[in-house]
Amino acid sequence: MPAAPEPFLPFPVPREDVPLAREYRSTMLRSTVQILARRGLYERYVAELAPEHRDTILATVPAVWLPFEVGMAHYEACDRLALSELEQASIGWETARRFHGPVIMTALRLAGSVRSPWFGATLVHRNWARVWRGSAMAVARLGPKEALVELAGWPAARIDYARGALRGAMRGTIEYFCRRAEVVEVRQLRTATSLGLRVKWF
């Protein structure tokens, strides 16, 4: 990775002031649970849910904000399914396409002929805020078709499944703007509440 990536879209506040994630959108959680059910994983998932959060997760309705602890319980249950990295990314890809797809397609129609991942990068703050209250992303340019995406204030960074699903979700979102994308984690940027993703597209 270059020593000094070129800033493209900074954090909305100074990095040290990015608040920790505190709420998670129920619609995203419900989408993932539906995908798990279609893949025959629902019963295993329910069995792995922490008892104190199980009823809240299974009874949640769309378009409400859930406490972050509920989102963490969801990710931890998914993590205990011990899915492969490919399966984790595939679930993240499908969830992002279902959740962000309509909004992105509207943005593309309004943008006209603009169909670049760099245009998509300008939507990062808006898209992230649709899913999370607290935490934030920033984007830097590594090359004409390569970017570094950093996420701060996100305690789920410690969970393998959450990182794998996020890589898939990032790819699913970027592929609205290009033919194919690759997303890999920059492991030296991972902490208990942050991570970095290197993104290339073709």
Side-chain angles (χ1 to χ4, degrees):
M1 185 175 64
E6 177 188 348
F8 179 81
L9 185 74
F11 288 109
V13 297
R15 185 188 184 109
E16 62 272 16
D17 295 331
V18 172
L20 288 176
R22 61 187 184 277
E23 290 182 305
Y24 181 47
R25 195 68 167 172
S26 65
T27 311
M28 179 68 87
L29 186 151
R30 283 171 55 89
S31 292
T32 302
V33 173
Q34 290 167 1
I35 291 166
L36 291 171
R38 286 205 307 275
R39 296 180 182 214
L41 297 168
Y42 182 79
E43 287 77 13
R44 287 178 56 200
Y45 167 77
V46 171
E48 295 294 352
L49 285 171
E52 64 269 27
H53 296 298
R54 184 178 295 133
D55 290 345
T56 299
I57 289 173
L58 298 183
T60 189
V61 298
V64 299
W65 290 103
L66 300 170
F68 181 71
E69 292 76 17
V70 174
M72 289 290 283
H74 164 70
Y75 280 132
E76 289 167 349
C78 290
D79 194 58
R80 286 191 285 270
L81 295 176
L83 304 175
S84 68
E85 289 189 9
L86 182 61
E87 289 173 302
Q88 294 169 1
S90 175
I91 291 169
W93 187 95
E94 187 176 349
T95 302
R97 301 290 281 200
R98 292 182 60 182
F99 186 80
H100 292 304
V103 172
I104 291 175
M105 293 305 295
T106 298
L108 284 170
R109 285 194 296 271
L110 294 174
S113 61
V114 177
R115 198 179 181 90
S116 163
W118 293 116
F119 170 72
T122 67
L123 307 176
V124 161
H125 292 331
R126 182 192 310 174
N127 284 340
W128 190 253
R130 294 180 65 234
V131 184
W132 296 96
R133 283 180 172 166
S135 68
M137 283 186 167
V139 182
R141 191 188 300 268
L142 298 179
K145 295 185 177 183
E146 188 172 2
L148 173 67
V149 179
E150 292 190 78
L151 172 57
W154 198 56
R158 68 174 176 77
I159 301 174
D160 289 344
Y161 170 84
R163 296 193 308 275
L166 180 63
R167 290 194 300 272
M170 184 71 63
R171 185 172 64 84
T173 302
I174 293 166
E175 286 179 345
Y176 278 102
F177 304 93
C178 64
R179 180 171 54 85
R180 181 171 62 88
E182 294 178 357
V183 181
V184 297
E185 184 181 356
V186 182
R187 296 197 175 188
Q188 61 265 40
L189 296 179
R190 186 199 306 170
T191 72
T193 60
S194 63
L195 54 81
L197 300 172
R198 188 169 184 168
V199 183
K200 296 181 180 180
W201 55 88
F202 309 88

